[in-house]
Short mmCIF file of all heavy atoms in Angstrom, two decimals:
data_model
loop_
_atom_site.label_atom_id
_atom_site.label_comp_id
_atom_site.label_asym_id
_atom_site.label_seq_id
_atom_site.Cartn_x
_atom_site.Cartn_y
_atom_site.Cartn_z
N ILE A 12 -6.89 14.46 -5.49
CA ILE A 12 -7.85 13.55 -6.07
C ILE A 12 -8.72 14.37 -6.99
O ILE A 12 -9.07 15.51 -6.71
CB ILE A 12 -8.69 12.81 -5.05
CG1 ILE A 12 -9.58 13.73 -4.23
CG2 ILE A 12 -7.85 11.90 -4.15
CD1 ILE A 12 -10.66 13.01 -3.44
N PHE A 77 -14.51 2.36 -2.87
CA PHE A 77 -13.89 3.59 -2.37
C PHE A 77 -15.02 4.61 -2.19
O PHE A 77 -15.99 4.67 -2.94
CB PHE A 77 -12.86 4.18 -3.34
CG PHE A 77 -11.60 3.33 -3.41
CD1 PHE A 77 -11.43 2.54 -4.54
CD2 PHE A 77 -10.67 3.36 -2.47
CE1 PHE A 77 -10.28 1.78 -4.66
CE2 PHE A 77 -9.51 2.59 -2.56
CZ PHE A 77 -9.33 1.79 -3.67
N ARG A 78 -14.92 5.38 -1.14
CA ARG A 78 -15.90 6.45 -0.84
C ARG A 78 -15.42 7.74 -1.56
O ARG A 78 -14.78 8.57 -0.95
CB ARG A 78 -16.06 6.70 0.64
CG ARG A 78 -16.45 5.53 1.44
CD ARG A 78 -17.88 5.33 1.27
NE ARG A 78 -18.38 4.37 2.29
CZ ARG A 78 -19.58 4.31 2.70
NH1 ARG A 78 -20.47 5.11 2.17
NH2 ARG A 78 -19.93 3.45 3.58
N TRP A 79 -15.72 7.79 -2.82
CA TRP A 79 -15.16 8.87 -3.69
C TRP A 79 -16.14 10.06 -3.71
O TRP A 79 -17.34 9.88 -3.96
CB TRP A 79 -14.98 8.34 -5.08
CG TRP A 79 -13.90 9.09 -5.82
CD1 TRP A 79 -14.09 10.06 -6.76
CD2 TRP A 79 -12.52 8.92 -5.70
NE1 TRP A 79 -12.92 10.56 -7.18
CE2 TRP A 79 -11.92 9.85 -6.56
CE3 TRP A 79 -11.72 8.11 -4.94
CZ2 TRP A 79 -10.57 10.00 -6.70
CZ3 TRP A 79 -10.31 8.25 -5.07
CH2 TRP A 79 -9.79 9.15 -5.92
N LEU A 89 -5.65 16.66 -0.59
CA LEU A 89 -5.95 15.93 0.63
C LEU A 89 -4.82 16.02 1.62
O LEU A 89 -3.63 16.17 1.27
CB LEU A 89 -6.13 14.38 0.32
CG LEU A 89 -7.28 14.02 -0.64
CD1 LEU A 89 -7.33 12.52 -0.65
CD2 LEU A 89 -8.59 14.57 -0.15
N GLU A 93 -6.68 12.27 5.43
CA GLU A 93 -7.80 12.01 4.50
C GLU A 93 -7.37 10.94 3.46
O GLU A 93 -8.19 10.12 3.10
CB GLU A 93 -8.12 13.30 3.78
CG GLU A 93 -8.81 14.35 4.62
CD GLU A 93 -8.98 15.72 3.92
OE1 GLU A 93 -8.10 16.08 3.11
OE2 GLU A 93 -9.95 16.42 4.25
N PHE A 94 -6.11 10.98 3.06
CA PHE A 94 -5.56 9.96 2.15
C PHE A 94 -5.67 8.58 2.75
O PHE A 94 -6.08 7.63 2.12
CB PHE A 94 -4.14 10.31 1.77
CG PHE A 94 -3.48 9.38 0.79
CD1 PHE A 94 -4.01 9.26 -0.47
CD2 PHE A 94 -2.32 8.76 1.13
CE1 PHE A 94 -3.41 8.42 -1.40
CE2 PHE A 94 -1.72 7.91 0.22
CZ PHE A 94 -2.26 7.77 -1.08
N LYS A 95 -5.29 8.45 4.04
CA LYS A 95 -5.33 7.16 4.73
C LYS A 95 -6.77 6.66 4.83
O LYS A 95 -7.08 5.51 4.58
CB LYS A 95 -4.78 7.29 6.14
CG LYS A 95 -3.30 7.04 6.21
CD LYS A 95 -2.81 6.82 7.65
CE LYS A 95 -2.78 8.10 8.40
NZ LYS A 95 -2.12 8.02 9.71
N ARG A 96 -7.68 7.60 5.19
CA ARG A 96 -9.13 7.22 5.29
C ARG A 96 -9.66 6.76 3.93
O ARG A 96 -10.41 5.76 3.84
CB ARG A 96 -9.94 8.38 5.85
CG ARG A 96 -9.77 8.61 7.34
CD ARG A 96 -10.86 9.46 7.90
NE ARG A 96 -10.99 10.77 7.30
CZ ARG A 96 -10.44 11.90 7.70
NH1 ARG A 96 -9.64 11.84 8.78
NH2 ARG A 96 -10.61 13.02 7.11
N LEU A 97 -9.33 7.47 2.90
CA LEU A 97 -9.81 7.12 1.58
C LEU A 97 -9.32 5.72 1.18
O LEU A 97 -10.12 4.87 0.70
CB LEU A 97 -9.30 8.15 0.52
CG LEU A 97 -9.72 7.88 -0.93
CD1 LEU A 97 -11.21 8.06 -1.11
CD2 LEU A 97 -8.92 8.80 -1.87
N LEU A 98 -8.06 5.42 1.32
CA LEU A 98 -7.50 4.10 0.93
C LEU A 98 -7.97 3.02 1.88
O LEU A 98 -7.92 1.86 1.52
CB LEU A 98 -6.00 4.18 0.90
CG LEU A 98 -5.41 4.97 -0.22
CD1 LEU A 98 -3.90 4.88 -0.23
CD2 LEU A 98 -5.95 4.59 -1.58
N SER A 99 -8.45 3.35 3.06
CA SER A 99 -9.01 2.36 4.02
C SER A 99 -10.50 2.12 3.77
O SER A 99 -11.10 1.34 4.52
CB SER A 99 -8.76 2.80 5.45
OG SER A 99 -7.40 2.91 5.70
N GLY A 100 -11.13 2.85 2.90
CA GLY A 100 -12.54 2.65 2.60
C GLY A 100 -13.47 3.60 3.29
O GLY A 100 -14.68 3.42 3.23
N PHE A 101 -12.93 4.54 4.01
CA PHE A 101 -13.77 5.52 4.74
C PHE A 101 -13.95 6.79 3.92
O PHE A 101 -13.19 7.05 3.00
CB PHE A 101 -13.15 5.89 6.07
CG PHE A 101 -13.06 4.74 7.00
CD1 PHE A 101 -11.82 4.12 7.25
CD2 PHE A 101 -14.16 4.22 7.65
CE1 PHE A 101 -11.71 3.03 8.11
CE2 PHE A 101 -14.08 3.14 8.53
CZ PHE A 101 -12.83 2.55 8.75
N ILE A 103 -13.75 10.70 3.10
CA ILE A 103 -12.74 11.73 3.48
C ILE A 103 -13.37 12.93 4.18
O ILE A 103 -12.64 13.79 4.66
CB ILE A 103 -11.90 12.20 2.26
CG1 ILE A 103 -12.82 12.75 1.20
CG2 ILE A 103 -11.06 11.05 1.73
CD1 ILE A 103 -12.05 13.31 0.01
#
Side-chain angles (χ1 to χ4, degrees):
I12 63 167
F77 291 104
R78 302 284 194 156
W79 205 261
L89 297 185
E93 290 171 329
F94 182 60
K95 272 195 284 191
R96 284 196 303 266
L97 179 70
L98 291 184
S99 298
F101 297 104
I103 58 175

